[in-house]
Each structure stands twice: as C-alpha cells, then as structure tokens.
Amino acid sequence: MMLRSTAFSLALLVCVSVCVLAQSQSSAPANPNMPRSFHDPSLNVTYFYPGRFVPDTASTSTSADASAAPKCAQSTLFASSVTPVDTSSFVLSTIDNTCPNILRGAITLGPFIREQILRQLKQFGEPTVTQEPTNYAINGHPAAIVLASVPMTESAGKIPRITYAAKVCMLGNIPVKPRKRSDPVEPTRHVLCFDFTTLHSDMLNLMFGFTMQFDNDSPQAMVPGSVIR
C-alpha cells in the first residue's frame, strides 16, 4: 500500500497547485487491453491511454473554496495501474492565465519542466535528472520532456526502491509568426502537462501508448520513441 500511495502522491504533485476537476469524460472499457480515452471539452483535446490505467477522478477533485488562493493549474485526470510487481500512474493538467507569471514560465517548456519535476521529487529524496529537457513537437505544438528518478526510502531491512518520473508539457496552440513586424503575436493561453511515474524504468515504455488529438486532427504520439534516450 505504501508503494501505491507514494506513486500516487508523486503523480499528484503537478507543476503548481491543483484545483477543481474539469468537467470532462473518460471512457472505461471492461477489457483492460483496450485503450481508454479522455476528452477535455473546454479545450477540445482528446487523450488516449493504455486500458491498464484505471481513472480515479475523485482523487483529483477538491472542494471549491472562494476564500482559497487562486489555482494556477488544473488537474483534469489521474489514473493508475497497480500490479503485483509495479505501480504506475499519470496526471493530466492544464496551466492557464489564472496566474500570468506561472503561465509565462511554463511557456519556456524545458527549463520550467526541469525545475518542476525536481521540485516534485525532492519531497521524497535527492532526485537525479536522467534526461535533460528534450524539445519536439506534437502535431505542430511545441513540447518538451524531462526524465528523472529518486530513491524511495523503504522500511528497515528492505531494499530502497527507485521511482522513475517523466514530465511532458506542450503549448496549447501552435505559434504563428506574424506576417509583418507590426502585426500582433497570438499569445499562448494555456499549457498542457503530462506527469508519469513508475517503479520500474522499463515501464517508461508505457508512455509510448499515450496519444492525443487536438480538435479534429489525427491523433499523435504524446511521447514518441525517438525522444527517449
């Protein structure tokens, strides 16, 4: 139970504060070998992920509190896969202009992702970045990924386990260069992030089964195999 709780806690520590669960839909096929899908209607983005991951929407919802500080990021889906030998989980989140400074930092992608994944993992030990920020694109949307790991302290007499983590963020819109220098540049209004944790490095390959679809475009790999070194 401790392993499951640890991975759950790691995946929930998404970028900055997590706020109320977005109104969205997630499929739940009976066959775990069939892929699941999750649609974010506010952004018209659909995510597809391996059926072995079971959504737990209650885990990412929090009570609305008008007196609370503004939330700079919104967690839209948490899901986990628990087997006798491994626990893996992921969180999808969105950063919008609720906090302009946070959004400006997130738009830089690589530096922001590196800082955030280390901050998340430091609560559990001394993390190590195993792959520095790597830039790529998802259907034209600039994206970046960082990989890291952290030793997890177990009870006395047991071998410490290592949690492996990956964080991907991408711009919600494709930057368009203005035709004229005087033309306004379309601002980036939101950044989408994907946090993945697992207890076995080999399970990072599960990320290759995640795809996403912007609007009515064709689904694209969220983490192409070519970006993992």
Side-chain angles (χ1 to χ4, degrees):
M1 291 299 294
M2 183 174 69
L3 293 178
R4 181 177 183 179
S5 175
T6 298
F8 170 81
S9 299
L10 280 169
L12 279 183
L13 292 171
V14 180
C15 316
V16 282
S17 301
V18 172
C19 71
V20 182
L21 182 71
Q23 292 182 351
S24 48
Q25 298 175 352
S26 179
S27 62
N31 185 349
N33 295 320
M34 295 294 292
R36 299 175 189 264
S37 65
F38 171 82
H39 183 66
D40 185 339
S42 63
L43 301 177
N44 198 19
V45 176
T46 303
Y47 302 88
F48 302 90
Y49 58 97
R52 64 187 291 169
F53 289 91
V54 179
D56 184 1
T57 55
S59 65
T60 50
S61 62
T62 58
S63 300
D65 184 355
S67 64
K71 305 301 182 180
C72 302
Q74 177 170 281
S75 177
T76 53
L77 179 68
F78 169 80
S80 61
S81 170
V82 181
T83 71
V85 296
D86 178 66
T87 295
S88 302
S89 56
F90 73 87
V91 172
L92 301 174
S93 62
T94 302
I95 301 170
D96 58 24
N97 59 4
T98 301
C99 300
N101 290 337
I102 298 296
L103 179 60
R104 280 195 291 270
I107 291 172
T108 65
L109 296 177
F112 172 81
I113 298 169
R114 190 184 195 280
E115 176 187 356
Q116 291 299 320
I117 197 170
L118 288 177
R119 179 181 299 176
Q120 292 161 208
L121 296 181
K122 278 182 179 178
Q123 300 189 44
F124 302 92
E126 289 298 324
T128 299
V129 172
T130 56
Q131 180 172 318
E132 293 290 347
T134 302
N135 297 318
Y136 62 106
I138 303 174
N139 198 27
H141 295 253
I145 184 172
V146 175
L147 303 182
S149 63
V150 61
M152 308 297 293
T153 303
E154 293 289 341
S155 57
K158 292 187 176 181
I159 300 176
R161 303 292 296 273
I162 297 177
T163 290
Y164 300 88
K167 188 178 186 69
V168 175
C169 289
M170 69 217 71
L171 302 187
N173 59 291
I174 301 175
V176 178
K177 293 183 179 180
R179 295 182 178 179
K180 299 180 180 179
R181 185 173 299 179
S182 58
D183 290 343
V185 178
E186 181 184 1
T188 298
R189 295 181 175 83
H190 54 271
V191 172
L192 308 178
C193 292
F194 165 70
D195 287 70
F196 182 86
T197 59
T198 184
L199 296 178
H200 290 281
S201 59
D202 292 345
M203 293 300 173
L204 288 171
N205 292 334
L206 289 174
M207 293 189 296
F208 300 150
F210 288 76
T211 61
M212 61 187 305
Q213 181 180 24
F214 289 93
D215 301 318
N216 296 318
D217 295 338
S218 300
Q220 301 289 323
M222 190 183 300
V223 183
S226 60
V227 305
I228 301 294
R229 297 193 293 267

